[in-house]
Amino acid sequence: MLPPRNAIAITAVVLLGLFVIDGSYVWFEDRPGWILAAGLVGFAAILALQLSHSFPSLSPWPPRYRRATWGVQALLTYLPILVFGVGWGGMTEFLTASAALVFPASVGWPLFGLAALGDSLVFFHFGSGWETAVYAVIEAVLIPLIIIGLSRMSDMIVKLHRSREELSRLAVTSERLRFARDLHDVLGYSISAISLKCELAYRLLADAPDKAREELGEVLRTSRKALADVRSVSRGYREMSLAGEADAAVSTLSAAGIRTSVRIDSGVLPSAVDAVLATVLREGLTNVLRHSRAEQCEIRAERRDGNAVLTLANDGAGRARPPRSVADGALAEIDARVGELGGTLAHGTDGRGWFRLETVVPLPAQAARDGRAGCPAGHEACDAGQPVLPARGSGYPDMLPRAAAAITLAVLVGYFLAYSEIAMAYHPAFAHGAAVELCLSAMLVLQLAVSFQWRLTRRTRRPWVLRQGALGALVLLQFVPPLFLGPTWVGLPGFVAGAALLTLPAAAAWPVLAGVTVACGVELYLTGNPPWDITYQSAYTVTCALVVFGLSRMARLASELHRSRTEIARLAVTTERLRFARDLHDLLGFSLSAITLKCELVRRLAQHRPVQAQAELTEVLQIARQALADVRTVADGRQRMSLAAEAESATAMLAGVGIRATVATDCGELPGEVDTVLATMVREGLTNVLRHSRAAHCEITAERTAAGVRLTLVNDGVNGSVGSGLASEVDGGSGIGNLTTRVKAVNGRLVAGARPDGCFELRAEVDLLAAAS
């Protein structure tokens, strides 16, 4: 990432190089020392002013003084010409660049033109021929463009960074508003109806218990429907990932007593491929649990020959019912989804007698980069949750990459024209001149290929061939033509050195730059050029190389940042969706489960124990009100839960359904995020105890350890089934998978499974030092 520090450093070095180039004419003149000292002070003042105009954040004075500082720079530019003559004329190029940097475009670019004209007139006045005049005109435009390009492009990239952040923020805000609408439409009415009907049943209990039971039946139907809606909405918002499913698989299979080996070496996958492989893994695990008697299971994900390969194998083939064919049920649907991405799904028994399910999905080079290519049009994994981006050409973010590329192209062409003029100043014969221009044109094309190779190699499997080949050709074109063209050939040494900086590792690139500079200096010396020409050309080579490197790298970065805006926004929305899905399941799932259980209890109590039934209904109303508050919490994304409060609520909840509870959570103050995660674990564990077990006793313990804190939930509701007391199905990320993700996010570890004493244990251990860091 070049900007901002590296961009400033490169610009400062380039400016210093340009000062050395222009100052060489002053230093080699025979003048008194005090005049040279005054010139040095003037050079330093102009350099400081130029840096303040290029990077206003470095300026020690407020921006409103920049026009005044431009006026000071104009005086320092033109007055010393009366003393130093054309040797000071190069300073006019900095004034030209500052005009476009300091003033608005409507004023700056006309001033740019006037300053460039003034620069040309200075050289016309002191010039010695048309060659000098033409070169002066080229330099009068080229050097300011270089300075403007290096200065503006770093600012462009900062704006692109900000636009990406703003786009992500707006996309998340838009998604949050959609959450709120969905919650209102799907759950708001249901929870409000539950509250109203519970209040009505409360009033009817004493005088009309049968009517109250009917109302409670309505409440039960509504709460069950709302609970199903919560699961449906949560699953719909959750974007599956292979890594997440693999985490859930470890806990799920361990709880089932199946030894599991997992290796995920597939790297970052395109979103569509990741979602499909996660679906295959989920369905494969479901079949392992339902249809086999496996004792061992292996999960492997890797990249192989340009494909993403997922392999799920288990040793239950000989002890299982005959596997379903791919044409049956969910496997047929998954096979169709894999086929849409050009992949294959195969299953069968391998040489070890294991049942193996293997999925192979091709990974196009473009898909590996942007994470979306290869996804079929209209596919739900691609289209769901995509933020709406500004229309192309609708604002400055879309213009910046094109402007960056245009500036880079203009500067490279400008260097080509400048060196062409230098070569023509030797007045070569027509054939020699044509050969020189042909070689220079070839070097320009090769440099364009190196500078924009990231555009040319998107579909190339071996991009290094283009880079290294272009660099080798540039070296040959720089050092072979002098054998035939003599002093007529100056070449483009800055392009060779710049291409080396762009192509080679730093340890090799900088020595190449130094070698090219020295070799060209030696060549100039051997052909009889004076010392100031050698100094000028050497500084020009280094400066040109840095300009080529800086502009090419920043043009690429601008394009990549712009291209990645969509993916960054999509990932931001995906993260928000996962947050929403987890909170929706953990918060509202608990509340609606509690309402359902308590309403069933009230129906049984209504006929014979109306006073206790009213007390239970009071709690139902409190839970319903809390559920409405939870709806707002989920939509706003400001969830903050307390372990102590959840433990207290758990005690009351378990006592209400006849489960003895032992609770000890005095573990001191916890960091906010850890407290929320552990409170969520208590709520989720309690919900699943009520939903999936027949427990008579439940124990909740939180204690400090040497590393941090340990939370344990134990219940005696295991009846030989897998995961009694915690939903362990591969069901879209709820249950163990959801809790595993949350605990891992705070540098913790989650363990779930049956203990030797017949109880089911859910345990989380969090390293508080790691979580705080």
Side-chain angles (χ1 to χ4, degrees), residues 116-389:
L117 178 62
D119 186 4
S120 302
L121 291 176
V122 169
F123 280 91
F124 272 125
H125 177 74
F126 292 99
S128 58
W130 67 270
E131 297 94 346
T132 304
V134 171
Y135 185 80
V137 172
I138 295 173
E139 290 284 285
V141 177
L142 174 62
I143 300 302
L145 279 181
I146 291 171
I147 298 170
I148 293 170
L150 289 172
S151 305
R152 286 295 191 210
M153 283 175 67
S154 60
D155 184 57
M156 288 178 184
I157 294 169
V158 171
K159 289 180 179 178
L160 277 171
H161 273 292
R162 291 174 180 169
S163 74
R164 289 201 314 173
E165 295 170 0
E166 180 67 9
L167 184 63
S168 299
R169 188 187 67 79
L170 292 175
V172 169
T173 301
S174 175
E175 195 72 5
R176 214 171 265 166
L177 291 174
R178 193 155 71 91
F179 296 160
R181 288 196 302 270
D182 286 353
L183 285 174
H184 179 270
D185 296 341
V186 175
L187 298 173
Y189 172 79
S190 298
I191 297 175
S192 297
I194 289 171
S195 298
L196 291 173
K197 286 186 175 293
C198 284
E199 290 176 353
L200 177 58
Y202 184 90
R203 291 195 297 268
L204 292 173
L205 271 175
D207 302 325
D210 291 336
K211 183 65 174 174
R213 284 170 57 85
E214 292 179 8
E215 294 296 335
L216 287 171
E218 289 290 329
V219 171
L220 279 171
R221 285 191 288 273
T222 303
S223 64
R224 289 181 181 128
K225 175 64 167 57
L227 188 56
D229 288 340
V230 165
R231 292 170 182 165
S232 175
V233 172
S234 175
R235 188 175 294 109
Y237 273 109
R238 189 183 307 280
E239 182 170 317
M240 297 168 57
S241 71
L242 181 58
E245 292 302 317
D247 286 339
V250 175
S251 297
T252 300
L253 294 173
S254 297
I258 300 174
R259 298 192 304 275
T260 308
S261 172
V262 178
R263 190 181 70 202
I264 306 295
D265 296 329
S266 55
V268 179
L269 296 173
S271 58
V273 176
D274 198 31
V276 167
L277 293 183
T279 304
V280 172
L281 178 57
R282 175 182 294 182
E283 180 60 25
L285 289 175
T286 302
N287 284 317
V288 169
L289 295 172
R290 289 179 183 170
H291 303 292
S292 79
R293 298 178 183 177
E295 296 177 353
Q296 298 181 62
C297 184
E298 293 181 356
I299 301 170
R300 300 285 184 269
E302 60 183 339
R303 292 182 182 239
R304 185 193 306 162
D305 300 327
N307 299 313
V309 181
L310 172 67
T311 304
L312 176 62
N314 70 86
D315 64 351
R319 300 184 293 275
R321 287 178 283 172
R324 297 179 298 172
S325 68
V326 175
D328 293 335
L331 281 178
E333 180 183 349
I334 294 173
D335 186 48
R337 289 187 61 180
V338 172
E340 288 177 350
L341 297 181
T344 58
L345 182 70
H347 66 87
T349 306
D350 63 11
R352 296 185 297 168
W354 285 39
F355 182 80
R356 183 177 297 271
L357 178 69
E358 183 173 271
T359 307
V360 180
V361 180
L363 282 174
Q366 180 64 17
R369 271 189 289 271
D370 63 23
R372 286 185 50 78
C375 185
H379 194 283
E380 61 180 1
C382 292
D383 297 334
Q386 295 303 312
V388 178
L389 299 177

Side-chain angles (χ1 to χ4, degrees), residues 48 84 116 141 182 194 264 306 352 387 394 409 476 502-503 526 562 627 652:
F84 294 102
V141 177
D182 286 353
I194 289 171
I264 306 295
R352 296 185 297 168
S394 62
L409 176 63
L476 291 176
L502 290 169
T503 302
L526 294 177
H562 179 260

Side-chain angles (χ1 to χ4, degrees), residues 248-602:
V250 175
S251 297
T252 300
L253 294 173
S254 297
I258 300 174
R259 298 192 304 275
T260 308
S261 172
V262 178
R263 190 181 70 202
I264 306 295
D265 296 329
S266 55
V268 179
L269 296 173
S271 58
V273 176
D274 198 31
V276 167
L277 293 183
T279 304
V280 172
L281 178 57
R282 175 182 294 182
E283 180 60 25
L285 289 175
T286 302
N287 284 317
V288 169
L289 295 172
R290 289 179 183 170
H291 303 292
S292 79
R293 298 178 183 177
E295 296 177 353
Q296 298 181 62
C297 184
E298 293 181 356
I299 301 170
R300 300 285 184 269
E302 60 183 339
R303 292 182 182 239
R304 185 193 306 162
D305 300 327
N307 299 313
V309 181
L310 172 67
T311 304
L312 176 62
N314 70 86
D315 64 351
R319 300 184 293 275
R321 287 178 283 172
R324 297 179 298 172
S325 68
V326 175
D328 293 335
L331 281 178
E333 180 183 349
I334 294 173
D335 186 48
R337 289 187 61 180
V338 172
E340 288 177 350
L341 297 181
T344 58
L345 182 70
H347 66 87
T349 306
D350 63 11
R352 296 185 297 168
W354 285 39
F355 182 80
R356 183 177 297 271
L357 178 69
E358 183 173 271
T359 307
V360 180
V361 180
L363 282 174
Q366 180 64 17
R369 271 189 289 271
D370 63 23
R372 286 185 50 78
C375 185
H379 194 283
E380 61 180 1
C382 292
D383 297 334
Q386 295 303 312
V388 178
L389 299 177
R392 201 161 181 73
S394 62
Y396 72 84
D398 293 297
M399 293 297 297
L400 297 186
R402 292 196 289 271
I407 290 173
T408 304
L409 176 63
V411 169
L412 294 178
V413 172
Y415 272 123
F416 162 77
L417 294 175
Y419 276 100
S420 295
E421 196 282 327
I422 292 174
M424 294 302 104
Y426 288 95
H427 304 288
F430 178 79
H432 274 208
V436 167
E437 290 301 317
L438 183 62
C439 291
L440 288 175
S441 299
M443 294 189 75
L444 174 62
V445 172
L446 289 168
Q447 182 57 58
L448 289 172
V450 174
S451 294
F452 296 100
Q453 56 86 20
W454 45 275
R455 289 180 178 268
L456 303 175
T457 59
R458 289 178 181 174
R459 292 181 173 85
T460 302
R461 291 188 176 182
R462 298 179 179 177
W464 61 271
V465 174
L466 174 62
R467 295 194 298 267
Q468 306 296 343
L471 177 59
L474 281 170
V475 172
L476 291 176
L477 284 171
Q478 177 64 39
F479 294 106
V480 172
L483 301 176
F484 307 98
L485 301 177
T488 306
W489 177 253
V490 177
L492 280 163
F495 280 12
V496 179
L501 292 176
L502 290 169
T503 302
L504 301 176
W510 293 106
V512 169
L513 185 150
V516 170
T517 304
V518 171
C520 292
V522 170
E523 183 181 348
L524 290 172
Y525 175 78
L526 294 177
T527 54
N529 286 276
W532 53 84
D533 271 357
I534 297 175
T535 303
Y536 180 92
Q537 289 296 339
S538 298
Y540 204 87
T541 297
V542 174
T543 303
C544 177
L546 290 175
V547 169
V548 168
F549 171 74
L551 290 181
S552 300
R553 182 63 64 84
M554 285 195 282
R556 174 177 181 174
L557 188 56
S559 180
E560 289 179 349
L561 286 173
H562 179 260
R563 191 170 62 249
S564 67
R565 289 191 310 142
T566 302
E567 182 67 9
I568 291 294
R570 187 190 71 80
L571 291 175
V573 169
T574 298
T575 301
E576 183 66 8
R577 284 181 158 217
L578 290 172
R579 194 276 309 169
F580 175 77
R582 286 195 300 265
D583 292 350
L584 184 64
H585 175 269
D586 296 340
L587 290 173
L588 295 177
F590 171 83
S591 299
L592 292 171
S593 295
I595 289 171
T596 301
L597 290 170
K598 282 190 171 290
C599 284
E600 289 177 347
L601 177 61
V602 171

